Amino acid sequence: MKLGDPRKAYRIAQGAKVRLNEDDAADMSLCPEGGKNSTQGLFDSLRDRIQTLQKVLYAENKRRVLVIIQAMDTGGKDGCVKHVFSRVDPQGVNVKAFKKPTEDELAHDFLWRVHPHVPGNGEIVIFNRSHYEDIIAVRVKKLLPESVWKKRYQHVLDFERMLAEEGTTIVKLFLHISKDEQKRRLEKRLENPAKHWKFHVDDLADRKRWHDFTGAYEDLIERTSTDYAPWFVIPADRKWYRNLCVAKLFADTLEDLELNFPERDFDPSSIRIDD
Amino acid sequence: MKLGDPRKAYRIAQGAKVRLNEDDAADMSLCPEGGKNSTQGLFDSLRDRIQTLQKVLYAENKRRVLVIIQAMDTGGKDGCVKHVFSRVDPQGVNVKAFKKPTEDELAHDFLWRVHPHVPGNGEIVIFNRSHYEDIIAVRVKKLLPESVWKKRYQHVLDFERMLAEEGTTIVKLFLHISKDEQKRRLEKRLENPAKHWKFHVDDLADRKRWHDFTGAYEDLIERTSTDYAPWFVIPADRKWYRNLCVAKLFADTLEDLELNFPERDFDPSSIRIDD
């Protein structure tokens, strides 16, 4: 079973136009034969690779990895984190979920609540939502004047360039679902009592603004996909395919870092452990 | 396969005397038949229970769980975290490892660097080392006068009582290994190049103070095991047994919280998702 390269297929080149076509959300072109059932073994081996590479990243204690995940409601942010990263040593992965900003957070610049959570040496941090909400949600819901959120594109570019130049590898994922798929997922949440806690009546208001959100995301991704912090638009109507692409993309990203165990500062043969 | 109750067997009652007998480190009395090979299925089912209960904890978004892990070097803090918690949704578990305090941290009270990392609603946080280092290491290495570290027993008791009364369940684990077992583990680290990064020459100096550390831990556990934040001394010479006990203890702790999905604030039958 051979999987295509999601970093080629779904990367938004710097300056490229972005159109979030609903059909693309169900794409599975990197996985031509068999589909879901044939990919479990492949998915497991990708998770094993991630697990192994994370150990070296942690031991090396030099590089930092930041994954930013954005999506429409029900787009699969939580599920993606759980499936792709739940075999990794929890000590090496931190997930930071950004909710609606608090009063105190709003009393600061929009990056103030984000900065303390970026990864340190040897760490992987996953942002479940991020500073991008402070452009997207703010714009669509008209929470601040255009003169404020428009400047944030550049603030984000500057912030991410600084992080990258200081040693952080940044990967940004937009999990792309169609409006029909969102309907199916919202209905499922209503049907299943164990999923009621995930249902918020407010999400229906956001769904009514689907078109506005789509336009805002297109703009955002166009303006903030860079060589040092690229966006990938991952087809996410099929959960298994989304997980497979994200696992492959992440494993390859770690692989490219050419991680190594650190040089030792002692000679093992010269050391004797006393009783 | 029936496993005994580590919360009964290894809990240090408030006010009880503590003697860290080296023989006890190899105890496996809760697991009378078969030993290691017979317990894999049991361990997997405990991890499944933890995984399931964590989902409800997270959904409920009300209770907070803090696990504090202390041990001598090579005692298995990292391994225990990895094996017991690496099947849990990484979004619901944060691991905070406390290293040697920085200059800035030392310029504050000893709880200043700890407090920001305690769990919030629905969260599990694991402290790999903790504020207890600021008593243990400080005392044994004579980093501060006795008049300072002696008062910290009470500071810790007060801090943990406040957390507990505000809604945090606290479990404190001392992974108990013998001096012989530490020797074997240090030698293994020297033999295996993939483990050299875990070997620090400083650890040998700490090993020379084994007796002092043991006495300091006995004192510490005696003085800070309480009903609201009990210590458990887990036999840890056998890694599989240590993992099994910690998984059982943690699963039972979550079970006792009688977690529930939150009440919904809407009537599912009244909601229609528009196209």
Side-chain angles (χ1 to χ4, degrees):
Chain A
M1 171 87 226
K2 186 94 182 104
L3 182 69
D5 183 355
R7 294 197 300 172
K8 280 200 184 130
Y10 303 130
R11 180 182 177 131
I12 306 301
Q14 190 160 339
K17 280 272 156 218
V18 176
R19 285 294 158 263
L20 294 173
N21 186 324
E22 300 252 320
D23 296 340
D24 297 340
D27 179 42
M28 44 180 265
S29 59
L30 298 186
C31 185
E33 322 131 36
K36 179 175 182 180
N37 292 332
S38 65
T39 60
Q40 191 58 49
L42 180 61
F43 185 54
D44 285 342
S45 72
L46 286 168
R47 296 207 293 187
D48 286 348
R49 262 178 71 205
I50 292 172
Q51 201 180 4
T52 305
L53 289 161
Q54 182 274 332
K55 280 186 207 170
V56 191
L57 179 84
Y58 188 81
E60 192 194 60
N61 196 32
K62 223 169 72 184
R63 259 79 68 86
R64 312 158 186 169
V65 181
L66 175 62
V67 181
I68 296 174
I69 307 183
Q70 290 283 152
M72 300 284 204
D73 294 323
T74 77
K77 299 180 295 296
D78 297 341
C80 179
V81 170
K82 183 168 72 182
H83 287 97
V84 176
F85 296 97
S86 72
R87 290 294 182 278
V88 178
D89 186 343
Q91 187 148 249
V93 182
N94 267 308
V95 184
K96 172 63 188 169
F98 291 96
K99 319 259 166 173
K100 214 195 244 199
T102 63
E103 222 174 303
D104 191 29
E105 287 168 347
L106 288 172
H108 294 81
D109 64 272
F110 78 111
L111 294 172
W112 178 80
R113 67 168 183 159
V114 173
H115 208 153
H117 301 284
V118 301
N121 289 347
E123 292 177 357
I124 298 168
V125 170
I126 301 165
F127 282 178
N128 180 340
R129 303 186 189 268
S130 66
H131 42 286
Y132 286 106
E133 292 292 332
D134 301 293
I135 299 177
I136 286 289
V138 163
R139 173 178 179 176
V140 174
K141 300 181 186 179
K142 301 188 171 45
L143 304 175
L144 290 170
E146 180 167 347
S147 59
V148 174
W149 61 255
K150 262 222 155 142
K151 292 205 183 99
R152 291 186 174 176
Y153 293 121
Q154 189 60 44
H155 298 321
V156 162
L157 291 172
D158 294 342
F159 178 60
E160 291 179 353
R161 196 185 58 248
M162 180 279 291
L163 292 178
E165 292 182 353
E166 291 277 317
T168 303
T169 298
I170 304 174
V171 168
K172 301 186 290 200
L173 307 174
F174 178 71
L175 307 181
H176 177 33
I177 58 165
S178 62
K179 200 176 174 191
D180 284 350
E181 179 62 19
Q182 188 187 58
K183 181 177 182 176
R184 278 189 289 276
R185 292 185 187 182
L186 287 171
E187 284 172 346
K188 273 213 168 140
R189 285 188 184 175
L190 286 175
E191 284 158 21
N192 181 353
K195 291 196 168 178
H196 282 165
W197 69 277
K198 287 200 127 196
F199 188 91
H200 306 286
V201 178
D202 293 353
D203 292 353
L204 297 179
D206 282 354
R207 179 170 169 81
K208 288 198 198 302
R209 300 176 180 125
W210 183 274
H211 182 75
D212 294 345
F213 271 107
T214 300
Y217 264 118
E218 287 173 346
D219 253 19
L220 179 86
I221 296 170
E222 272 177 36
R223 286 164 188 266
T224 60
S225 199
T226 58
D227 288 343
Y228 54 84
W231 276 106
F232 299 89
V233 175
I234 305 291
D237 270 7
R238 299 173 211 265
K239 295 174 181 176
W240 65 269
Y241 185 73
R242 168 201 80 199
N243 292 341
L244 197 62
C245 285
V246 172
K248 165 89 171 137
L249 187 157
F250 192 68
D252 289 350
T253 299
L254 290 182
E255 197 87 65
D256 278 3
L257 294 178
E258 299 181 7
L259 300 161
N260 282 302
F261 285 105
E263 295 279 321
R264 57 169 196 253
D265 57 357
F266 58 91
D267 171 12
S269 66
S270 73
I271 293 176
R272 215 188 133 268
I273 315 291
D274 292 334
D275 286 332
Chain B
M1 170 86 227
K2 186 95 181 105
L3 183 69
D5 183 356
R7 293 196 301 172
K8 281 201 185 131
Y10 302 130
R11 180 181 177 133
I12 306 302
Q14 189 160 339
K17 280 272 155 219
V18 176
R19 285 295 157 262
L20 295 173
N21 185 324
E22 299 253 321
D23 297 340
D24 297 340
D27 179 42
M28 44 181 265
S29 60
L30 298 186
C31 184
E33 324 130 36
K36 179 174 181 180
N37 292 331
S38 65
T39 60
Q40 190 59 49
L42 180 61
F43 185 55
D44 284 342
S45 72
L46 286 167
R47 297 207 293 187
D48 286 348
R49 260 177 71 205
I50 293 173
Q51 200 180 5
T52 305
L53 288 161
Q54 181 274 332
K55 279 185 208 171
V56 191
L57 179 84
Y58 187 81
E60 193 194 60
N61 195 32
K62 222 169 76 184
R63 260 78 69 87
R64 312 158 186 167
V65 181
L66 175 61
V67 181
I68 296 174
I69 306 183
Q70 289 283 153
M72 301 282 205
D73 294 323
T74 77
K77 298 181 296 296
D78 297 341
C80 179
V81 170
K82 184 168 70 183
H83 287 97
V84 176
F85 296 97
S86 71
R87 290 291 183 279
V88 179
D89 186 342
Q91 187 148 249
V93 182
N94 267 307
V95 184
K96 172 64 190 170
F98 291 96
K99 319 258 168 177
K100 215 195 244 200
T102 63
E103 222 174 304
D104 191 28
E105 287 167 348
L106 288 172
H108 294 81
D109 64 273
F110 77 111
L111 294 172
W112 178 79
R113 67 169 183 158
V114 173
H115 207 154
H117 301 284
V118 301
N121 289 346
E123 292 178 357
I124 298 167
V125 170
I126 301 164
F127 282 179
N128 180 339
R129 303 184 189 269
S130 66
H131 41 288
Y132 286 105
E133 293 292 331
D134 302 294
I135 299 177
I136 286 289
V138 163
R139 173 179 179 175
V140 174
K141 299 181 186 178
K142 300 188 172 45
L143 303 176
L144 289 170
E146 180 167 346
S147 60
V148 174
W149 61 254
K150 262 220 156 144
K151 293 205 184 100
R152 290 186 175 176
Y153 293 121
Q154 189 59 45
H155 299 321
V156 162
L157 291 172
D158 294 341
F159 178 60
E160 291 179 353
R161 196 185 57 248
M162 181 278 291
L163 293 178
E165 292 183 353
E166 291 278 317
T168 305
T169 299
I170 305 174
V171 168
K172 301 187 290 201
L173 308 174
F174 178 71
L175 307 180
H176 177 32
I177 58 165
S178 63
K179 201 176 175 193
D180 285 351
E181 179 62 20
Q182 188 187 59
K183 181 177 183 177
R184 278 188 290 275
R185 292 186 188 182
L186 287 170
E187 284 171 346
K188 272 213 170 141
R189 286 187 184 175
L190 287 174
E191 283 158 22
N192 181 353
K195 291 195 169 179
H196 281 165
W197 68 276
K198 287 200 128 195
F199 188 90
H200 305 286
V201 178
D202 293 354
D203 293 351
L204 297 179
D206 282 352
R207 179 171 169 79
K208 287 197 198 303
R209 300 176 180 126
W210 184 274
H211 182 75
D212 294 345
F213 270 108
T214 300
Y217 263 117
E218 288 173 344
D219 255 17
L220 179 87
I221 295 170
E222 273 177 34
R223 286 165 188 265
T224 59
S225 201
T226 58
D227 288 342
Y228 53 85
W231 276 105
F232 300 89
V233 175
I234 306 291
D237 271 8
R238 300 173 210 265
K239 294 175 182 175
W240 64 268
Y241 184 75
R242 169 201 79 201
N243 292 340
L244 198 60
C245 286
V246 172
K248 166 88 172 137
L249 187 157
F250 191 69
D252 289 349
T253 300
L254 290 182
E255 198 86 65
D256 279 2
L257 294 178
E258 300 182 6
L259 300 160
N260 282 301
F261 284 105
E263 294 279 321
R264 58 169 195 252
D265 57 357
F266 58 92
D267 170 11
S269 67
S270 74
I271 292 176
R272 216 188 132 268
I273 315 291
D274 293 333
D275 286 331

